[in-house]
Amino acid sequence: MNPGSEDASQLSFPEALKIRPVRRLWIAQLVSIFGDFLAVFAVFSVVTFQYHGSPFLVSMILVAYFAPIAVISPVAGVYVDKWNVKWTMIASDSLRCLLAVTLLFQHSIWGIYATLFLISCVSSFFLPAQIVAIRAITPPNALVAANGLMSQAQQGSQVVAPAIAGLLVQFVGANACFGFDCAGFLFSALMVSTIAIYRKPGDSAEASVFDSMKEGLRFIFRHPALSTVIVSMTAGMFAIRIFGSLLSIYVRDLLHGTTTLFGVESSLIGVGMIGGAQLMPYLMKRSTHQHLIAYGLAGMGAAVLLSAAWAQLAAATAAMLLVGFFAAFVMVCAQVLVQQETPHELLGRVSSTLWSLLSVAQVVALLAAGPVGERYGVIVLYYFSGAALVLVGVAAWWKFQSGAKADATAA
């Protein structure tokens, strides 16, 4: 896509919110994701500051969450392309609500891990279904704004939830966070039930699961832009997850902070993401989605290197803001690119494949981060993470530049 061509007529955020289905789905996700962040940060706070968990035990929180997505998502995407999208989302939210209730009665680390694992199994179906729903209810010229809004629902929650979770855990207890998570899933299910979602059924309803998965993979690898973006994001996710998985240890051991400071620093990532997302409609008129993804990866790397080089509060605060700012480039542009370039009947499979690869990268990073962090320290890992992100961003930019020159020559 040439910068400034098709994106010139893109709707703004307020204009996209005037579309009733988009507005209702956005509200549903805002409440649900806020509850999710409360619960996850409550778990991090409990394991790190109450149980005094090691880097391995802290990293296992996210391993339990991402491992099912890595394994189940490719199969889930096949069924999402066949099932009714609306009822898939409602059923997923309802099941996650019931599973979140069990967190209220968990008193062991491994019981918490098991519950997060089961919630993630159900989320493997919800995530691709939501991407399909966004495209189904959104006009083409509102896709950038709609994805930006959904991203901002996550970012806004990331601003507020960590600080609130830290205070609630410290003064009330983790169950207050888990209770809100249950209510958030229930609210989301009820809100989605009011949205009319019409999606043309795929033509592979009778195909086997294996054949359907192959069809989605074949499309990805035959599409140069998508395959490059997915590979770049997978490598970048591996590096950034190493940074994020041990952030609570970084705050505790290097900044000498408490659960409250951990919540505040995590919130700053969300503040940065909101700033980055606000610029997306403007930037997409002047650059390609692919180049913005490359800039985002390299920018996150520079921010992580800053946090490693100066493990002080001021530098860490600036680094968190910059990580979030550039992360918005990657997430918003990638989702828009997938939705614009993928046929309706393949969108569930393609989006679930992306989630699966990203989750695999995160699980591998988490499994490595804990033991390596214990042996060599958080700072060494942060230097590795930052340098890897910069290199991935530069490599992606070079690949996109080469592709653009080849297209111009062919034209």
Side-chain angles (χ1 to χ4, degrees):
M1 180 183 300
N2 294 326
S5 57
E6 185 175 327
D7 285 342
S9 61
Q10 287 287 337
L11 299 184
S12 65
F13 291 140
E15 290 170 334
L17 279 176
K18 292 180 181 179
I19 304 171
R20 181 177 295 181
V22 173
R23 182 172 67 251
R24 291 185 176 183
L25 184 59
W26 177 74
I27 293 172
Q29 291 314 290
L30 184 64
V31 174
S32 177
I33 292 172
F34 178 73
D36 259 354
F37 271 108
L38 279 182
V40 170
F41 278 97
V43 171
F44 268 106
S45 296
V46 168
V47 173
T48 302
F49 297 100
Q50 292 185 14
Y51 294 164
H52 301 284
S54 66
F56 172 75
L57 289 177
V58 171
S59 65
M60 282 299 296
I61 297 170
L62 293 179
V63 170
Y65 188 82
F66 288 115
I69 297 177
V71 176
I72 297 174
S73 283
V75 177
V78 173
Y79 288 104
V80 167
D81 280 333
K82 298 180 180 182
W83 291 346
N84 182 288
V85 174
K86 176 177 177 177
W87 286 107
T88 299
M89 296 173 70
I90 293 172
S92 297
D93 273 333
S94 301
L95 286 173
R96 291 190 294 178
C97 175
L98 294 175
L99 288 169
V101 170
T102 65
L103 286 172
L104 297 169
F105 308 100
Q106 294 292 348
H107 300 289
S108 71
I109 292 178
W110 294 102
I112 292 172
Y113 293 162
T115 302
L116 291 178
F117 182 91
L118 293 174
I119 290 175
S120 181
C121 289
V122 181
S123 296
S124 298
F125 291 85
F126 183 88
L127 294 172
Q130 178 180 257
I131 291 176
V132 173
I134 292 171
R135 175 164 170 179
I137 65 176
T138 308
N141 66 334
L143 271 178
V144 172
N147 281 283
L149 286 167
M150 299 305 167
S151 181
Q152 284 195 4
Q154 178 175 355
Q155 297 148 14
S157 298
Q158 190 165 342
V159 172
V160 180
I164 293 178
L167 292 172
L168 287 175
V169 171
Q170 190 166 350
F171 296 107
V172 181
N175 276 356
C177 300
F178 300 147
F180 194 97
D181 195 26
C182 301
F185 285 134
L186 180 60
F187 177 84
S188 177
L190 293 173
M191 186 65 74
V192 171
S193 69
T194 68
I195 303 173
I197 304 175
Y198 301 103
R199 194 263 306 254
K200 181 181 178 181
D203 55 7
S204 58
E206 302 303 323
S208 68
V209 172
F210 182 70
D211 288 339
S212 297
M213 289 173 60
K214 284 200 303 183
E215 187 179 3
L217 289 171
R218 190 181 302 117
F219 174 79
I220 291 173
F221 289 112
R222 289 180 177 178
H223 195 296
L226 275 183
S227 59
T228 302
V229 165
I230 289 175
V231 170
S232 300
M233 286 187 65
T234 302
M237 184 59 73
F238 173 81
I240 196 63
R241 183 49 64 194
I242 288 177
F243 165 77
S245 64
L246 298 181
L247 181 58
S248 60
I249 303 296
Y250 177 84
V251 170
R252 185 189 69 186
D253 295 349
L254 297 170
L255 300 184
H256 307 293
T258 64
T259 182
T260 302
L261 181 60
F262 169 56
V264 171
E265 290 296 313
S266 300
S267 295
L268 292 175
I269 297 176
V271 173
M273 292 180 75
I274 289 177
Q278 289 290 334
L279 291 177
M280 283 299 99
Y282 172 82
L283 293 175
M284 284 184 179
K285 296 177 182 179
R286 289 158 177 78
S287 185
T288 65
H289 301 85
Q290 297 97 312
H291 283 86
L292 287 173
I293 290 171
Y295 300 149
L297 290 168
M300 285 193 293
V304 173
L305 289 174
L306 173 64
S307 69
W310 291 280
Q312 299 174 0
L313 183 58
T317 298
M320 300 307 135
L321 288 168
L322 290 171
V323 165
F325 180 80
F326 287 109
F329 288 31
V330 178
M331 299 311 298
V332 175
C333 292
Q335 288 196 38
V336 173
L337 187 67
V338 168
Q339 290 168 339
Q340 288 182 337
E341 300 295 330
T342 307
H344 279 279
E345 65 273 13
L346 295 176
L347 188 53
R349 276 161 282 181
V350 171
S351 60
S352 65
T353 298
L354 173 60
W355 280 112
S356 176
L357 290 173
L358 294 180
S359 298
V360 168
Q362 292 180 85
V363 170
V364 173
L366 291 165
L367 291 174
V372 176
E374 289 183 2
R375 181 167 183 176
Y376 296 105
V378 173
I379 291 297
V380 171
L381 278 178
Y382 275 23
Y383 273 120
F384 169 80
S385 172
L389 280 164
V390 171
L391 289 174
V392 170
V394 171
W397 180 87
W398 178 82
K399 179 68 174 178
F400 295 142
Q401 283 290 100
S402 300
K405 290 178 181 178
D407 291 341
T409 303

